[in-house]
Each structure stands twice: as C-alpha cells, then as structure tokens.
C-alpha cells in the first residue's frame, strides 16, 4: 500500500481487528505500507503482520516506511513478525529521506523483527519523535534533533553520526544483546532518566562524541561497564545510579570508566555500588593511565563501589571534590584537592 497524497488518514478498528497480513510464501520483496513524499497524513489503529513463519527465500519485508514525509502521525499501530531471508535489516517503522521532518510515532508496538533488525530506524531529515511505544527490537537514529521518550526497548537505542541534538529520556531498556544506549561519532546527545537493566555489554557507551549529557539514569547488572567514555569531550555525567556491573566476568569492569582520549568532563553526584559476590565490578570509578585530561568530579558516592578498589585513577589529570569513598590501593597525586566526606 502506498500513500502518495497529502492529508490522508488511514484509520482502522484497532490492533487485532484491522490487520494487514503478508500472504504465505510471498513472491516479491516489499514494504507493507509506505508514505511517499507526503505531508499531514495519519496511520492509526491497525496491525501489520509479516507472517514470518510462512515465508521462505531471500526476501525482506518492512513494516511502515515514511520517505521524504513531513508532519505525519503513526499511532496505536502494531508491527510484528517481519521476515528476513537474506541476513539483511528489516525495519518495523522506518523514517527516511532528507526532506523528512516531524514524523511522530506514538503508542505503537513493534516486535519480532527477524535478522539484524530494528523496531524503529530513523535515517532522514530531523525533528522526529517516538513516544510511549514498545520497540522491542530497538531504535537506530542518524537523523538530527530526534526524541525517543518513555519507550520500552529490549534491544537498546543507538545514536550515530548525523543524530546531533537528539535525546533518549524516560525509557526502560532491558536484556539487550549489545549496550543499552550506544552513542558513537556524534555530538550533543542527551540520555536522561532511563532505566537500563541487564544490558549485554555496557549500560551506556559514549565513543568519539562531544557535548553530551548523561543524567539521572539507573543502570544495573551490565555485563561490562555501567558507563564507558572513550574519546569524549566537554560532556557531563550527572546523578546516575550504577550497581552490580561486570556480570560477564568477576572483578573486571567498572561502574564508570573514563578511557583514553577524554577531555574536560564534569562528573557530579553519581552513586556507584559494587553488588554482591560472586560477580562484582573491579572499580567504582576508573580513569585510564594515559590520555584523559581535565576530568573534574564533584560529590560522587563511590563507597563500596569496587571489589579491588572503589577508585582507580592513574590518569594524573583528575580533580576530585567532596567525594564519599572507601577504597584500597594507589590513588593518583591529583587527589591533593580531595575533600573527604
């Protein structure tokens, strides 16, 4: 189905009542519903069933695609069981096209997308919003000024080059294969007030990024680090609660890890706990031996934060103020400005 006129509303009777279902053994590859170069359109109260169990061959089916579309709303839609017979990337809801703007996805359920897949895949335009939706196969964003708000995501949220000034807020992210929130080669991302539980790698990873804010997140049972920063500049890590990381291997990873290439970070008011045996994180707060410059920490609580040591700072360029701590092992000379609470 292709909608190629403005001001069109496609409104069903609700999920389970109005169903667009791919036929058994479909012979061609297609997207079930496309909004093509239109504005002010709406899709509401329908279900798209990719009928994955009854397909074969090299086809890939997509759910809903908006292409160079502006001011569209996709609401109360379910997309599920899309088929991938090639090892490709089927997408539940895809927003693409450089001219795209202000597409809103809300109160949707997108799940059971086979292969290397995403529930929401946003690569075009700017100012798109996904809210109050269950996006169980995760979200991938390379478009600017987008928002992922109050969603449930089992495969995390990824921001890549082009997604500047985007946000992920108030989401629950659980049991991911990779990291809960993955920010890579992009600047000015806000990750705030999210609950991240049992991610398969890091809770939040920020790599090659500037001017990001990581604030108010609750991270628990990460397989590796709770928050990892590599080659990150001019960013703020504020008020996060992190615990019981390093679940992949005892005494290996950290609650917060500042790796090489980081500069001018402000790390304030975070609480880190080491968890319980037999799997505990090695350090509460870790700074790499070479590279990080201008790391400034204020009023963090790193008590009982690491199995080997609550703090390991070998960088030599960190200034710590007002820290609650209890650690064993060497501490860098930069702690001369340290005020113990």
């Amino acid at each position: 189905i292709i909608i190629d006129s403005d001001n069109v509303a496609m409104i069903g009777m609700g999920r389970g009542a109005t169903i667009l279902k791919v036929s058994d053994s479909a012979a061609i590859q297609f997207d079930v519903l496309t909004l093509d170069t239109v504005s002010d359109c709406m899709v509401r109260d329908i279900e798209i069933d990719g009928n994955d169990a009854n397909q074969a061959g090299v086809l890939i089916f997509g759910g809903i695609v908006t292409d160079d579309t502006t001011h569209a709303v996709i609401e109360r839609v379910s997309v599920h069981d899309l088929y991938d017979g090639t090892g490709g990337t089927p997408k539940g809801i895809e927003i693409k096209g450089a001219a795209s703007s202000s597409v809103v996805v809300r109160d949707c359920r997108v799940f059971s997308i086979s292969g290397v897949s995403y529930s929401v895949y946003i690569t075009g335009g700017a100012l798109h919003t996904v809210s109050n939706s269950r996006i169980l196969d995760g979200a991938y964003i390379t478009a600017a000024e987008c928002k992922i708000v109050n969603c449930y995501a089992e495969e995390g949220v990824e921001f890549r080059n082009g997604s500047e000034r985007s946000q992920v807020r108030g989401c629950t992210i659980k049991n991911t294969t990779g990291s809960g929130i993955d920010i890579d080669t992009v600047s000015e991302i806000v990750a705030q007030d999210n609950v991240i539980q049992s991610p398969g790698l890091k809770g939040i990873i920020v790599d090659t990024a500037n001017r990001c804010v990581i604030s108010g997140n609750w991270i628990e049972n990460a397989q590796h680090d709770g928050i990892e920063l590599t080659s990150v500049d001019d960013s703020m890590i504020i008020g996060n609660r992190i615990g019981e990381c390093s679940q992949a291997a005892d005494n290996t990873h950290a609650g917060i890890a500042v790796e090489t290439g980081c500069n001018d970070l402000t790390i304030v008011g975070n609480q880190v706990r080491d968890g319980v045996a037999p799997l505990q994180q090695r350090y509460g707060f870790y700074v790499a031996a070479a590279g990080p410059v201008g790391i400034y920490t204020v009023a963090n609580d790193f008590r009982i934060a690491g199995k080997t040591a609550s703090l390991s700072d070998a960088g030599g360029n960190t200034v710590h103020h007002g820290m609650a701590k209890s650690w064993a092992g060497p501490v860098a000379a930069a702690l001369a400005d340290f005020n113990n609470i």
Side-chain angles (χ1 to χ4, degrees), residues 299-314:
N300 293 286
D301 182 354
F302 297 144
R303 296 172 298 147
I304 342 170
K307 185 171 184 175
T308 294
S310 287
L311 174 68
S312 176
D313 182 358

Side-chain angles (χ1 to χ4, degrees), residues 30-185:
F30 58 87
D31 299 310
V32 177
L33 176 62
T34 300
L35 282 65
D36 188 3
T37 319
V38 295
S39 65
D40 300 291
C41 290
M42 173 178 284
V43 178
R44 177 189 285 172
D45 292 327
I46 68 170
E47 178 178 343
I48 293 177
D49 182 352
N51 194 16
D52 183 8
N54 295 304
Q55 306 301 325
V58 296
L59 307 176
I60 301 175
F61 300 144
I64 299 176
V65 175
T66 71
D67 191 355
D68 284 331
T69 291
T70 62
H71 302 287
V73 175
I74 301 169
E75 184 175 36
R76 298 200 297 267
V77 169
S78 177
V79 181
H80 60 90
D81 293 295
L82 298 180
Y83 177 71
D84 163 33
T86 68
T89 307
K91 296 101 176 178
I93 298 175
E94 180 177 7
I95 301 170
K96 66 180 183 179
S100 293
S101 176
S102 305
V103 175
V104 174
V105 177
R106 62 184 176 225
D107 297 318
C108 292
R109 299 175 63 219
V110 189
F111 60 97
S112 295
I113 317 299
S114 69
V116 180
S117 60
Y118 294 93
S119 288
V120 175
Y121 196 82
I122 305 174
T123 59
L127 298 168
H128 309 301
T129 301
V130 181
S131 66
N132 299 97
S133 296
R134 293 175 66 86
I135 49 175
L136 300 192
D137 292 281
Y140 180 93
I141 303 103
T142 64
E145 299 176 84
C146 295
K147 296 179 181 179
I148 309 295
V149 183
N150 297 337
C151 291
Y152 180 84
E154 285 194 353
E155 281 301 331
V157 178
E158 301 178 33
F159 295 99
R160 295 292 183 266
N161 186 27
S163 61
E164 286 77 11
R165 298 174 301 284
S166 291
Q167 308 171 30
V168 53
R169 295 177 182 268
C171 292
T172 298
I173 300 171
K174 296 178 68 175
N175 303 318
T176 60
T177 302
S179 297
I181 297 173
D182 188 336
I183 301 166
D184 192 347
T185 322

